[in-house]
Amino acid sequence: QVQLVESGGGLVQPGGSLRLSCLYSGRIFDIYYWGWYRQAPGKERELVASITVGGTTTDADSVKGRFTISRDNVKKTVYLQMNSLKPEDTAVYYCSTVAYGAITSWGQGTQVTVSS
């Protein structure tokens, strides 16, 4: 019931920056949690950062101080600002939402590649 479209991925050199966007639509009024996840080849999907309807944020230790999650209720978009990117940040990044009733939605993902 929630549709998610990620954008902003691409190829960037180490130390560079990218901003990922996730536009959400559909039945959005019951969403209380937005998350950015990533999955690298051969690894399990991991939570990178999250934000709640109340504005509380979390971020993984591996990205602390470098990544920032934010949300714009007017534009219906959640962002992931990624700075000081490292090769180990290379992964497919997904956004996700959780709505009341334990309804989880996922986007298709956007590739982030950090390489020289």
Side-chain angles (χ1 to χ4, degrees):
Q1 293 188 323
V2 177
Q3 293 78 49
L4 304 171
V5 180
E6 303 101 330
S7 62
L11 175 65
V12 65
Q13 294 186 354
S17 298
L18 286 173
R19 188 177 76 162
L20 305 184
S21 299
C22 177
L23 179 68
Y24 54 94
S25 61
R27 190 175 176 85
I28 65 174
F29 299 111
D30 291 331
I31 299 172
Y32 64 89
Y33 171 96
W34 295 257
W36 280 102
Y37 294 74
R38 67 185 181 187
Q39 187 167 23
K43 296 184 178 181
E44 294 186 350
R45 186 173 298 184
E46 64 174 346
L47 177 65
V48 176
S50 67
I51 187 168
T52 70
V53 67
T56 302
T57 61
T58 67
D59 48 65
D61 289 340
S62 59
V63 306
K64 197 175 297 293
R66 301 187 297 120
F67 291 10
T68 303
I69 190 170
S70 62
R71 174 172 46 84
D72 188 323
N73 289 334
V74 176
K75 296 182 178 179
K76 302 296 186 289
T77 303
V78 63
Y79 303 96
L80 184 67
Q81 179 66 48
M82 305 185 296
N83 299 324
S84 301
L85 283 161
K86 305 175 181 179
E88 51 262 44
D89 295 319
T90 296
V92 178
Y93 284 71
Y94 301 88
C95 66
S96 178
T97 61
V98 181
Y100 292 113
I103 304 300
T104 301
S105 300
W106 293 92
Q108 292 298 115
T110 184
Q111 176 71 48
V112 173
T113 302
V114 185
S115 177
S116 299

